[in-house]
mmCIF file of all heavy atoms in Angstrom:
data_model
loop_
_atom_site.group_PDB
_atom_site.id
_atom_site.type_symbol
_atom_site.label_atom_id
_atom_site.label_comp_id
_atom_site.label_asym_id
_atom_site.label_seq_id
_atom_site.Cartn_x
_atom_site.Cartn_y
_atom_site.Cartn_z
ATOM 1 N N ALA A 15 107.103 200.936 216.858
ATOM 2 C CA ALA A 15 105.771 200.612 217.382
ATOM 3 C C ALA A 15 105.735 200.730 218.903
ATOM 4 O O ALA A 15 106.760 200.652 219.584
ATOM 5 C CB ALA A 15 105.374 199.211 216.954
ATOM 6 N N GLU A 16 104.541 200.900 219.443
ATOM 7 C CA GLU A 16 104.340 200.957 220.890
ATOM 8 C C GLU A 16 103.858 199.628 221.453
ATOM 9 O O GLU A 16 104.025 199.354 222.645
ATOM 10 C CB GLU A 16 103.340 202.055 221.234
ATOM 11 C CG GLU A 16 103.830 203.463 220.956
ATOM 12 C CD GLU A 16 102.846 204.501 221.446
ATOM 13 O OE1 GLU A 16 102.665 204.632 222.677
ATOM 14 O OE2 GLU A 16 102.232 205.177 220.589
ATOM 15 N N VAL A 17 103.251 198.800 220.606
ATOM 16 C CA VAL A 17 102.744 197.496 221.043
ATOM 17 C C VAL A 17 102.984 196.479 219.933
ATOM 18 O O VAL A 17 102.700 196.747 218.757
ATOM 19 C CB VAL A 17 101.229 197.550 221.374
ATOM 20 C CG1 VAL A 17 100.682 196.152 221.658
ATOM 21 C CG2 VAL A 17 100.975 198.460 222.562
ATOM 22 N N GLY A 18 103.508 195.322 220.311
ATOM 23 C CA GLY A 18 103.657 194.215 219.376
ATOM 24 C C GLY A 18 102.520 193.232 219.546
ATOM 25 O O GLY A 18 102.096 192.947 220.676
ATOM 26 N N LEU A 19 102.016 192.697 218.442
ATOM 27 C CA LEU A 19 100.892 191.759 218.455
ATOM 28 C C LEU A 19 101.385 190.369 218.076
ATOM 29 O O LEU A 19 102.018 190.189 217.034
ATOM 30 C CB LEU A 19 99.815 192.219 217.474
ATOM 31 C CG LEU A 19 99.275 193.637 217.706
ATOM 32 C CD1 LEU A 19 98.415 194.083 216.530
ATOM 33 C CD2 LEU A 19 98.489 193.706 219.016
ATOM 34 N N SER A 20 101.097 189.392 218.923
ATOM 35 C CA SER A 20 101.545 188.025 218.652
ATOM 36 C C SER A 20 100.393 187.040 218.844
ATOM 37 O O SER A 20 100.366 186.267 219.813
ATOM 38 C CB SER A 20 102.717 187.648 219.561
ATOM 39 O OG SER A 20 103.237 186.374 219.211
ATOM 40 N N PRO A 21 99.434 187.041 217.920
ATOM 41 C CA PRO A 21 98.336 186.064 218.001
ATOM 42 C C PRO A 21 98.742 184.748 217.341
ATOM 43 O O PRO A 21 99.205 184.725 216.202
ATOM 44 C CB PRO A 21 97.227 186.748 217.211
ATOM 45 C CG PRO A 21 97.953 187.546 216.164
ATOM 46 C CD PRO A 21 99.240 188.000 216.805
ATOM 47 N N ILE A 22 98.576 183.663 218.056
ATOM 48 C CA ILE A 22 98.839 182.323 217.528
ATOM 49 C C ILE A 22 97.587 181.488 217.773
ATOM 50 O O ILE A 22 97.369 181.001 218.885
ATOM 51 C CB ILE A 22 100.058 181.650 218.199
ATOM 52 C CG1 ILE A 22 101.270 182.583 218.207
ATOM 53 C CG2 ILE A 22 100.377 180.330 217.505
ATOM 54 C CD1 ILE A 22 101.854 182.861 216.845
ATOM 55 N N PRO A 23 96.702 181.337 216.764
ATOM 56 C CA PRO A 23 95.459 180.600 216.985
ATOM 57 C C PRO A 23 95.711 179.219 217.590
ATOM 58 O O PRO A 23 96.651 178.512 217.194
ATOM 59 C CB PRO A 23 94.868 180.494 215.573
ATOM 60 C CG PRO A 23 95.420 181.679 214.848
ATOM 61 C CD PRO A 23 96.811 181.849 215.389
ATOM 62 N N ARG A 24 94.872 178.840 218.548
ATOM 63 C CA ARG A 24 95.016 177.558 219.216
ATOM 64 C C ARG A 24 94.602 176.429 218.291
ATOM 65 O O ARG A 24 93.712 176.572 217.471
ATOM 66 C CB ARG A 24 94.155 177.519 220.492
ATOM 67 C CG ARG A 24 94.515 178.549 221.542
ATOM 68 C CD ARG A 24 95.946 178.395 222.048
ATOM 69 N NE ARG A 24 96.238 177.046 222.497
ATOM 70 C CZ ARG A 24 96.007 176.593 223.734
ATOM 71 N NH1 ARG A 24 95.469 177.403 224.627
ATOM 72 N NH2 ARG A 24 96.320 175.356 224.061
ATOM 73 N N GLY A 25 95.269 175.289 218.420
ATOM 74 C CA GLY A 25 94.959 174.123 217.618
ATOM 75 C C GLY A 25 96.188 173.241 217.459
ATOM 76 O O GLY A 25 97.305 173.617 217.839
ATOM 77 N N GLU A 26 96.001 172.083 216.896
ATOM 78 C CA GLU A 26 97.070 171.094 216.768
ATOM 79 C C GLU A 26 98.289 171.637 216.040
ATOM 80 O O GLU A 26 99.428 171.356 216.415
ATOM 81 C CB GLU A 26 96.537 169.856 216.029
ATOM 82 C CG GLU A 26 97.589 168.778 215.800
ATOM 83 C CD GLU A 26 97.075 167.646 214.925
ATOM 84 O OE1 GLU A 26 96.168 167.894 214.104
ATOM 85 O OE2 GLU A 26 97.585 166.518 215.058
ATOM 86 N N LEU A 27 98.081 172.426 214.996
ATOM 87 C CA LEU A 27 99.192 172.852 214.159
ATOM 88 C C LEU A 27 100.072 173.906 214.819
ATOM 89 O O LEU A 27 101.292 173.914 214.607
ATOM 90 C CB LEU A 27 98.669 173.391 212.826
ATOM 91 C CG LEU A 27 97.968 172.385 211.918
ATOM 92 C CD1 LEU A 27 97.498 173.064 210.642
ATOM 93 C CD2 LEU A 27 98.892 171.216 211.585
ATOM 94 N N LEU A 28 99.485 174.813 215.606
ATOM 95 C CA LEU A 28 100.250 175.946 216.120
ATOM 96 C C LEU A 28 100.481 175.916 217.626
ATOM 97 O O LEU A 28 101.288 176.687 218.131
ATOM 98 C CB LEU A 28 99.560 177.257 215.728
ATOM 99 C CG LEU A 28 99.466 177.518 214.220
ATOM 100 C CD1 LEU A 28 98.724 178.821 213.948
ATOM 101 C CD2 LEU A 28 100.851 177.550 213.574
ATOM 102 N N ASP A 29 99.793 175.050 218.346
ATOM 103 C CA ASP A 29 100.029 174.964 219.787
ATOM 104 C C ASP A 29 101.469 174.573 220.096
ATOM 105 O O ASP A 29 102.001 174.918 221.153
ATOM 106 C CB ASP A 29 99.082 173.937 220.436
ATOM 107 C CG ASP A 29 97.754 174.561 220.832
ATOM 108 O OD1 ASP A 29 97.566 175.768 220.585
ATOM 109 O OD2 ASP A 29 96.905 173.833 221.375
ATOM 110 N N CYS A 30 102.093 173.843 219.184
ATOM 111 C CA CYS A 30 103.450 173.353 219.426
ATOM 112 C C CYS A 30 104.524 174.350 218.993
ATOM 113 O O CYS A 30 105.715 174.064 219.080
ATOM 114 C CB CYS A 30 103.667 172.021 218.712
ATOM 115 S SG CYS A 30 103.467 172.121 216.911
ATOM 116 N N SER A 31 104.127 175.524 218.524
ATOM 117 C CA SER A 31 105.100 176.489 218.011
ATOM 118 C C SER A 31 105.797 177.240 219.138
ATOM 119 O O SER A 31 105.354 177.255 220.287
ATOM 120 C CB SER A 31 104.403 177.490 217.086
ATOM 121 O OG SER A 31 103.488 178.282 217.821
ATOM 122 N N SER A 32 106.910 177.867 218.770
ATOM 123 C CA SER A 32 107.639 178.764 219.663
ATOM 124 C C SER A 32 107.808 180.073 218.908
ATOM 125 O O SER A 32 108.737 180.244 218.129
ATOM 126 C CB SER A 32 109.013 178.167 220.022
ATOM 127 O OG SER A 32 109.765 179.056 220.810
ATOM 128 N N PRO A 33 106.890 181.022 219.092
ATOM 129 C CA PRO A 33 106.847 182.210 218.237
ATOM 130 C C PRO A 33 108.085 183.103 218.349
ATOM 131 O O PRO A 33 108.455 183.536 219.442
ATOM 132 C CB PRO A 33 105.600 182.952 218.733
ATOM 133 C CG PRO A 33 104.779 181.892 219.405
ATOM 134 C CD PRO A 33 105.763 180.966 220.022
ATOM 135 N N THR A 34 108.711 183.383 217.205
ATOM 136 C CA THR A 34 109.883 184.249 217.175
ATOM 137 C C THR A 34 109.503 185.709 217.366
ATOM 138 O O THR A 34 110.236 186.480 217.991
ATOM 139 C CB THR A 34 110.619 184.098 215.836
ATOM 140 O OG1 THR A 34 110.813 182.708 215.557
ATOM 141 C CG2 THR A 34 111.973 184.788 215.868
ATOM 142 N N LYS A 35 108.354 186.110 216.812
ATOM 143 C CA LYS A 35 107.972 187.520 216.868
ATOM 144 C C LYS A 35 107.897 188.020 218.306
ATOM 145 O O LYS A 35 108.292 189.143 218.601
ATOM 146 C CB LYS A 35 106.655 187.751 216.134
ATOM 147 C CG LYS A 35 105.445 187.024 216.714
ATOM 148 C CD LYS A 35 104.154 187.397 216.001
ATOM 149 C CE LYS A 35 104.083 186.829 214.620
ATOM 150 N NZ LYS A 35 104.055 185.347 214.577
ATOM 151 N N LEU A 36 107.395 187.178 219.204
ATOM 152 C CA LEU A 36 107.287 187.563 220.609
ATOM 153 C C LEU A 36 108.653 187.939 221.168
ATOM 154 O O LEU A 36 108.814 188.976 221.827
ATOM 155 C CB LEU A 36 106.694 186.397 221.396
ATOM 156 C CG LEU A 36 106.700 186.525 222.921
ATOM 157 C CD1 LEU A 36 105.651 187.511 223.363
ATOM 158 C CD2 LEU A 36 106.482 185.174 223.578
ATOM 159 N N ILE A 37 109.664 187.106 220.896
ATOM 160 C CA ILE A 37 111.007 187.334 221.423
ATOM 161 C C ILE A 37 111.626 188.579 220.790
ATOM 162 O O ILE A 37 112.325 189.350 221.456
ATOM 163 C CB ILE A 37 111.888 186.100 221.153
ATOM 164 C CG1 ILE A 37 111.207 184.817 221.654
ATOM 165 C CG2 ILE A 37 113.251 186.256 221.805
ATOM 166 C CD1 ILE A 37 110.929 184.800 223.125
ATOM 167 N N GLU A 38 111.370 188.783 219.507
ATOM 168 C CA GLU A 38 111.919 189.955 218.822
ATOM 169 C C GLU A 38 111.300 191.240 219.357
ATOM 170 O O GLU A 38 112.004 192.247 219.548
ATOM 171 C CB GLU A 38 111.704 189.817 217.319
ATOM 172 C CG GLU A 38 112.555 188.724 216.692
ATOM 173 C CD GLU A 38 112.330 188.576 215.203
ATOM 174 O OE1 GLU A 38 111.161 188.650 214.769
ATOM 175 O OE2 GLU A 38 113.315 188.371 214.472
ATOM 176 N N TYR A 39 109.987 191.252 219.578
ATOM 177 C CA TYR A 39 109.356 192.428 220.174
ATOM 178 C C TYR A 39 110.034 192.765 221.512
ATOM 179 O O TYR A 39 110.369 193.924 221.789
ATOM 180 C CB TYR A 39 107.866 192.179 220.447
ATOM 181 C CG TYR A 39 106.985 191.935 219.257
ATOM 182 C CD1 TYR A 39 105.832 191.156 219.380
ATOM 183 C CD2 TYR A 39 107.260 192.475 218.006
ATOM 184 C CE1 TYR A 39 104.987 190.936 218.308
ATOM 185 C CE2 TYR A 39 106.423 192.247 216.926
ATOM 186 C CZ TYR A 39 105.290 191.473 217.081
ATOM 187 O OH TYR A 39 104.460 191.250 216.004
ATOM 188 N N MET A 40 110.200 191.750 222.351
ATOM 189 C CA MET A 40 110.785 191.961 223.672
ATOM 190 C C MET A 40 112.197 192.524 223.567
ATOM 191 O O MET A 40 112.549 193.475 224.279
ATOM 192 C CB MET A 40 110.789 190.638 224.444
ATOM 193 C CG MET A 40 109.413 190.119 224.818
ATOM 194 S SD MET A 40 109.425 188.392 225.385
ATOM 195 C CE MET A 40 110.541 188.464 226.794
ATOM 196 N N ALA A 41 113.008 191.945 222.684
ATOM 197 C CA ALA A 41 114.408 192.377 222.552
ATOM 198 C C ALA A 41 114.510 193.811 222.061
ATOM 199 O O ALA A 41 115.470 194.519 222.383
ATOM 200 C CB ALA A 41 115.153 191.439 221.611
ATOM 201 N N LEU A 42 113.523 194.249 221.277
ATOM 202 C CA LEU A 42 113.537 195.597 220.725
ATOM 203 C C LEU A 42 112.784 196.602 221.593
ATOM 204 O O LEU A 42 112.538 197.735 221.187
ATOM 205 C CB LEU A 42 112.963 195.583 219.307
ATOM 206 C CG LEU A 42 113.845 194.850 218.281
ATOM 207 C CD1 LEU A 42 113.084 194.615 216.991
ATOM 208 C CD2 LEU A 42 115.125 195.633 218.006
ATOM 209 N N GLY A 43 112.413 196.179 222.805
ATOM 210 C CA GLY A 43 111.833 197.101 223.766
ATOM 211 C C GLY A 43 110.370 197.409 223.579
ATOM 212 O O GLY A 43 109.898 198.470 224.013
ATOM 213 N N VAL A 44 109.625 196.485 222.964
ATOM 214 C CA VAL A 44 108.208 196.719 222.678
ATOM 215 C C VAL A 44 107.349 195.741 223.486
ATOM 216 O O VAL A 44 107.492 194.524 223.323
ATOM 217 C CB VAL A 44 107.917 196.558 221.169
ATOM 218 C CG1 VAL A 44 106.442 196.762 220.877
ATOM 219 C CG2 VAL A 44 108.759 197.544 220.361
ATOM 220 N N PRO A 45 106.463 196.224 224.347
ATOM 221 C CA PRO A 45 105.578 195.317 225.088
ATOM 222 C C PRO A 45 104.613 194.597 224.154
ATOM 223 O O PRO A 45 104.282 195.105 223.083
ATOM 224 C CB PRO A 45 104.840 196.249 226.051
ATOM 225 C CG PRO A 45 104.953 197.602 225.463
ATOM 226 C CD PRO A 45 106.243 197.645 224.700
ATOM 227 N N VAL A 46 104.148 193.452 224.588
ATOM 228 C CA VAL A 46 103.443 192.530 223.696
ATOM 229 C C VAL A 46 102.042 192.219 224.196
ATOM 230 O O VAL A 46 101.818 192.044 225.398
ATOM 231 C CB VAL A 46 104.224 191.200 223.584
ATOM 232 C CG1 VAL A 46 103.574 190.278 222.557
ATOM 233 C CG2 VAL A 46 105.687 191.449 223.230
ATOM 234 N N VAL A 47 101.118 192.128 223.241
ATOM 235 C CA VAL A 47 99.824 191.496 223.485
ATOM 236 C C VAL A 47 99.851 190.158 222.761
ATOM 237 O O VAL A 47 100.078 190.103 221.544
ATOM 238 C CB VAL A 47 98.654 192.344 222.957
ATOM 239 C CG1 VAL A 47 97.335 191.576 223.119
ATOM 240 C CG2 VAL A 47 98.584 193.670 223.693
ATOM 241 N N CYS A 48 99.639 189.089 223.499
ATOM 242 C CA CYS A 48 99.636 187.759 222.895
ATOM 243 C C CYS A 48 98.447 186.973 223.436
ATOM 244 O O CYS A 48 97.765 187.406 224.361
ATOM 245 C CB CYS A 48 100.937 187.013 223.174
ATOM 246 S SG CYS A 48 101.134 186.488 224.897
#
């Protein structure tokens, strides 16, 4: 892929998350839209 997508809807349940997909995109050389 040329772009990784990391949408995490705002709210009580997901604001506290630490998204793995974002880190994996970065490690594999793919810029991210989050």
Side-chain angles (χ1 to χ4, degrees):
E16 293 186 68
V17 173
L19 303 169
S20 186
I22 310 292
R24 299 299 307 273
E26 178 187 27
L27 295 180
L28 297 178
D29 273 1
C30 61
S31 66
S32 176
T34 311
K35 63 175 71 64
L36 171 74
I37 308 299
E38 291 179 319
Y39 296 152
M40 293 167 59
L42 292 168
V44 178
V46 185
V47 175
C48 71

